[in-house]
Amino acid sequence: MKIVATDVVLTSPGRNFVTLKITTADGLTGLGDATLNGRELAVASYLTEHVVPLLIGRDARNIEDTWQFLYRSAYWRRGPVTMSAIAAVDMALWDIKAKAADMPLYQLLGGASRTGLTAYGHASGRDTEELFDSIRHHLELGFRAIRVQTAVPGIGTLYGVPTQPAVPGGRADDYEPAQRGPLPAEEDWDTRAYLRHLPTIFEAVRAEFGPELPLLHDGHHRMTPIEAAKLGKSLEPYDLFWLEDCTPAENQEALRLVRRHTTTPLAIGEVFNTVWDYQSLISEQLIDYVRSSVTHAGGITALRKLLDFAAQYQIKSGIHGPTDISPVGMAAALHLDLAIHNFGIQEYMPHSALTSEVFRQSFTFEDGYLHPGEQPGLGVDLDEDAAAKFPYERAYLPYNRLNDGTVHDW
Ligand code: KDG
Ligand code: MG
């Protein structure tokens, strides 16, 4: 089953996506997501210039060998660009293997360990009324777990709380943070104001929606260890499902301090790209959920190994699933989620109608549960004619500055 052709497809149906398509001599095709939000062209070029020449003529069946070859032969290891490129190849090869076996991918990964995947949705608001409205909207959509992000008095614009919808006339909580334009947007940040305000919001949400609803929150890497410890402690009365990315967790030791002070469950790792970023976090049981995506952590082959390692420590999956993971990357996550034993929860931000015109998906969201569907392979088809109508447009994620002008984590 030789690889005879590869295409790197850049398309921007509402937002940018990079997709790798691999074709075999038998006429099978596989898709892989290589989207790295705000740095898309770097991965596209890594694939086109350095990976594609290595793939032509290889046996598409040898997934592990191809993964090891791409990882080790580059010599320069890890990093989001390399690992997203390897991930795209890996996903496409699993897609091909499952199509050749005429099975949905989860069957090849060991079969279903559950009937559906609990998903959490993103609620947010500029004030309590708007936040409650957004939570109600997500409950009406069927979500059984809700991420809560809120505006903070004294902070103008901040992560997770859109000032305007991405689609004119759309909902304010349906937004795209990576803005098209020549330069990144500047947002502001004040940790003390945030730490004071957030517990009051969770108190109000619990009073309105009761004790049952699983609630999540994303700290988006903006706190020091002691600030994160303080936040985890102050949120304990509101029984969070998790507190995400409470510190910039490339310093794994920081989590020892946070853990010592709070029983709020911790989720980390959407910006990580290998198992090595989790070594202490997992072996010392400093976290509860692994947040890596299939797209940024080296594909299904690598994330499966990482999650198996986590399982030995009762740490579960919480795979990253914002709209900058393409429907291909999302489908890969769902097949893996369904097969592994230590599934925790799946993030789900539905893609726009425009995105779904380009990527035809067979996964479903019913009654709060996602399912990858029964189509052979990953279950996503790329309409290349539709994709060609939406050329790439440069877009940057925002960044933060403190009141005195210092650049801060976003
Ligand atoms: O590209 C950046 C987004 O993927 C990130 O900001 C989303 O933090 C995020 C989340 O938890 O979905
Ligand atoms: Mg996050």
Side-chain angles (χ1 to χ4, degrees), residues 218-295:
D218 191 347
H220 226 252
H221 329 271
R222 290 168 303 202
M223 284 163 278
T224 64
I226 199 67
E227 289 164 351
K230 190 173 173 181
L231 180 65
K233 206 167 163 179
S234 66
L235 292 176
E236 278 173 20
Y238 314 113
D239 190 23
L240 264 61
F241 184 92
W242 78 35
L243 170 62
E244 176 188 345
D245 287 339
C246 60
T247 65
E250 59 259 42
N251 173 15
Q252 298 186 36
E253 286 170 25
L255 271 294
R256 288 197 196 120
L257 190 146
V258 182
R259 200 62 152 176
R260 232 177 270 140
H261 290 281
T262 181
T263 56
T264 293
L266 302 173
I268 261 175
E270 68 184 34
V271 299
F272 292 175
N273 37 71
T274 71
V275 66
W276 304 107
D277 302 312
Y278 287 97
Q279 205 174 14
S280 309
L281 296 179
I282 291 177
S283 62
E284 294 183 34
Q285 309 206 153
L286 303 179
I287 58 169
D288 302 281
Y289 297 92
V290 164
R291 284 286 287 142
S292 284
S293 64
V294 181
T295 306

Side-chain angles (χ1 to χ4, degrees), residues 155 157 185-190 398-410:
I155 302 181
T157 41
E186 190 175 299
E187 299 190 345
D188 42 357
W189 182 246
D190 177 344
Y399 75 108
N400 278 339
R401 280 193 193 276
L402 304 179
N403 283 342
D404 69 357
T406 307
V407 172
H408 192 71
D409 294 290
W410 177 71

Side-chain angles (χ1 to χ4, degrees), residues 315-329:
I315 295 169
K316 296 185 177 181
S317 71
I319 298 182
H320 193 213
T323 45
D324 48 282
I325 299 295
S326 88
V328 177

Side-chain angles (χ1 to χ4, degrees), residues 1 18 50 245 319 351:
M1 198 187 278
V18 183
H50 304 293
D245 287 339
I319 298 182
H351 287 103

Side-chain angles (χ1 to χ4, degrees), residues 50 87 101 135 146 150 189 194 204 276:
H50 304 293
I135 294 175
I146 307 279
T150 172
W189 182 246
Y194 167 75
W276 304 107

Side-chain angles (χ1 to χ4, degrees), residues 13 108 119-120 182 198 225 328 347 410:
L108 280 191
Y120 73 87
L198 199 64
V328 177
E347 181 181 23
W410 177 71

